[in-house]
Amino acid sequence: MKSKYIDFKQNKTYEELKAPAEAIKEGKLVLFPTETVYGIGADALNETAVKKIYVAKGRASDNPLIAHISNIEMLEKLVENVGKIEKKLIEKFWPGPLTIVFKKKKIVPDIITGGLDTVAIRMPSNIIARKLIQYSNCPIAAPSANISGKPSGTLVEDIIEELDGKVEYIIDSGKVEIGVESTVVRVVDNVVHILRPGKITKEDIEKMGIKVYIEKQILGEYKEGEKVMSPGIKYKHYAPNTKCILVYSKDNEKMVEEIKRLSKGRNVVLLSKNQNIEKYNIQNKLNMGETLEEISQNIFTLLRKADKYNADIIIIEGVEKEGLGLAIMNRLIRACAHEFIEI
Ligand code: AMP
Ligand code: MG
C-alpha cells in the first residue's frame, strides 16, 4: 500500500496534521520534516511502534533513537534529572538542532535507547514537527528518513522510492532548512562532549563559558571493539553506492590540482564549491554552493544525485573542519568510507 501524501509546500493549515497525529497515536509511522533532516516518527513510548522504525530503516537494534518533544513537561516525564549545564543549553538552543543525552526514567522503553540507561532528547524548531508532536500528545522517536547506511533525506523526492509504503503518512514541506542532523551532546563532569557535530557548534557552546570536548571518533575511523560514547559511530553512514573520495587542502589551489589529477581519464562525478566549479574541465559537475550553510543544505541530496550517473567515482571537495564545517566533514568522511586525501 502506498503511503498517504500530504503536500505541505502549498499553504496548508495545521489541521492537516491531525490525521498523521492520530496515526502516531495508533502506533503507525509518519515521515515528517524537521529543521535538520526528514524523520521517520513513531510514539516513543510504544515499543511495537518503535520496532517498526528499525524494520523500515533496516537499522541495527543497538543504535538508539532520538525522542522529539514539544514542551518541557515532556522532558520531565522522560528523564531523571536536568543538570545545571543542560538547563543552560536548553535555554539557549531549544527549540533547535541540539540533542542532549540524559539519564532515562523507566517509562522510556529499552528499544529506543538500544538498551542504554540514557536517552537522547531534542525539541525541534520546525513548526510542523512540533505541532505533530503536540497533536500526538507523546514524544516522537525519529531517526533520519533513509534506509540505514544511505544519505539522510533532506528532500522527499530523494527518499520516496525507498520509503513509500513503509510509513502511513508522508508530510512534504520541501527542502529542509539545515540539511545535516542535529548536534548530539552529553554532559560529563561539567564538560559538554560533542558526540555528533551539527549546526550548533563547539564555538557556539564555548561562547557561553562552557568547556567543550569533541569526541575523537567524530573524524577518525571506528575500530572493532572500541568503546564508544555514541553507538551511531560504529555504523556505516551516508554512503552512495558509487565509491567516493574526499579531497581537501587548506590551500584551495592545491586541492583543485589534486582533484584534476585524480579525475584524469576516469568517469567522474565531481561535487564542487561554487567558487571552484569553473576551474574544472570535467563533464559531470554538481554545485554544492558557496557558504557552509548552503553546502550543508545541499550535501545529502547531491550525494544521491551523483549516484545516479553510474560513474566510476564521485570526487568531493572538502571544507575546513571548523564551525559547521566539522559537521559537513563528519558526514563526508563517512560517505567516503574514510577515503580522504588531505594535502
Ligand atoms: P539518527 O537517529 O540517525 O539521527 O541518529 C541518532 C544519533 O544519536 C546516533 O548517532 C546515536 O548513536 C545517537 N544517540 C541516540 N541516543 C543516544 C544515547 N542515549 N547516547 C548516546 N548517543 C545516542
Ligand atoms: Mg541517520
Side-chain angles (χ1 to χ4, degrees):
M1 258 243 307
K2 273 186 142 359
S3 307
K4 291 169 202 148
Y5 178 84
I6 302 179
D7 188 354
F8 235 92
K9 291 179 300 234
Q10 324 291 338
N11 288 324
K12 291 271 174 174
T13 68
Y14 297 124
E15 284 298 302
E16 297 277 338
L17 298 174
K18 294 214 161 138
E22 278 308 311
I24 295 270
K25 282 187 193 164
E26 289 164 13
K28 294 174 178 157
L29 304 184
V30 173
L31 194 154
F32 68 99
T34 80
E35 67 275 23
T36 57
V37 300
Y38 277 86
I40 302 179
D43 176 352
L45 301 180
N46 178 338
E47 267 194 68
T48 323
V50 174
K51 247 181 221 155
K52 291 180 191 163
I53 297 181
Y54 284 90
V55 174
K57 283 188 57 113
R59 184 171 170 118
S61 62
D62 71 341
N63 193 3
L65 307 178
I66 296 168
H68 295 75
I69 58 172
S70 59
N71 60 48
I72 290 293
E73 289 73 55
M74 279 186 175
L75 174 71
E76 285 158 1
K77 278 190 196 146
L78 301 174
V79 311
E80 281 293 343
N81 169 48
V82 181
K84 231 171 54 200
I85 303 236
E86 286 89 338
K87 274 195 187 127
K88 281 191 189 169
L89 295 173
I90 289 171
E91 260 169 43
K92 175 95 180 154
F93 298 113
W94 279 10
L98 181 75
T99 297
I100 307 176
V101 174
F102 297 91
K103 195 122 193 157
K104 81 174 187 81
K105 274 191 177 151
K106 274 212 183 73
I107 185 179
V108 180
D110 278 347
I111 179 145
I112 102 156
T113 68
L116 299 172
D117 61 355
T118 52
V119 60
I121 310 229
R122 174 159 94 91
M123 191 191 290
S125 63
N126 180 292
I127 191 74
I128 297 173
R130 280 231 304 290
K131 287 274 177 202
L132 181 70
I133 303 165
Q134 187 195 325
Y135 292 154
S136 307
N137 200 23
C138 61
I140 295 185
S144 52
N146 54 274
I147 297 295
S148 273
K150 295 285 132 212
S152 305
T154 50
L155 262 179
V156 167
E157 292 96 286
D158 289 346
I159 46 179
I160 198 149
E161 231 171 81
E162 66 194 52
L163 295 172
D164 199 11
K166 294 189 174 177
V167 296
E168 188 71 11
Y169 281 93
I170 293 178
I171 304 171
D172 185 356
S173 63
K175 201 172 184 177
V176 296
E177 196 186 311
I178 296 172
V180 292
E181 303 85 343
S182 59
T183 308
V184 179
V185 300
R186 179 168 180 185
V187 182
V188 182
D189 297 334
N190 293 322
V191 178
V192 171
H193 289 244
I194 296 190
L195 311 184
R196 176 175 73 186
K199 171 82 175 150
I200 309 285
T201 62
K202 175 176 188 265
E203 294 80 0
D204 292 335
I205 300 171
E206 279 174 344
K207 265 190 227 145
M208 301 167 67
I210 299 172
K211 262 192 148 171
V212 182
Y213 176 78
I214 297 188
E215 285 298 314
K216 285 195 294 290
Q217 289 151 331
I218 279 180
L219 295 173
E221 208 162 347
Y222 165 74
K223 296 191 185 63
E224 191 70 41
E226 210 170 41
K227 196 167 171 260
V228 289
M229 272 272 245
S230 179
I233 281 171
K234 295 192 291 189
Y235 295 101
K236 184 178 161 213
H237 257 112
Y238 321 118
N241 296 318
T242 315
K243 180 181 158 63
C244 302
I245 294 189
L246 178 63
V247 182
Y248 181 69
S249 169
K250 276 196 189 325
D251 179 336
N252 186 60
E253 294 318 306
K254 259 194 185 162
M255 175 181 71
V256 171
E257 284 315 309
E258 178 65 11
I259 291 176
K260 285 182 182 168
R261 192 187 67 76
L262 278 172
S263 56
K264 258 199 197 116
R266 286 165 113 175
N267 177 11
V268 165
V269 184
L270 173 68
L271 267 60
S272 160
K273 275 163 260 175
N274 184 50
Q275 47 276 47
N276 288 333
I277 202 152
E278 292 305 325
K279 297 177 184 167
Y280 298 104
N281 182 20
I282 294 174
Q283 194 181 357
N284 303 319
K285 298 186 277 195
L286 298 171
N287 193 336
M288 299 196 287
E290 193 144 337
T291 62
L292 292 177
E293 281 72 21
E294 285 166 1
I295 296 170
S296 87
Q297 212 189 29
N298 292 329
I299 197 71
F300 285 133
T301 192
L302 291 183
L303 284 172
R304 284 172 177 273
K305 204 167 176 183
D307 220 7
K308 300 224 163 87
Y309 287 82
N310 287 318
D312 300 333
I313 196 160
I314 299 169
I315 301 181
I316 309 168
E317 285 190 349
V319 299
E320 190 156 8
K321 296 170 220 146
E322 301 264 313
L324 180 57
L326 182 67
I328 295 170
M329 287 300 270
N330 165 265
R331 306 319 188 265
L332 288 177
I333 284 175
R334 287 186 158 66
C336 295
H338 298 271
E339 286 274 345
F340 176 29
I341 299 174
E342 190 167 19
I343 28 175

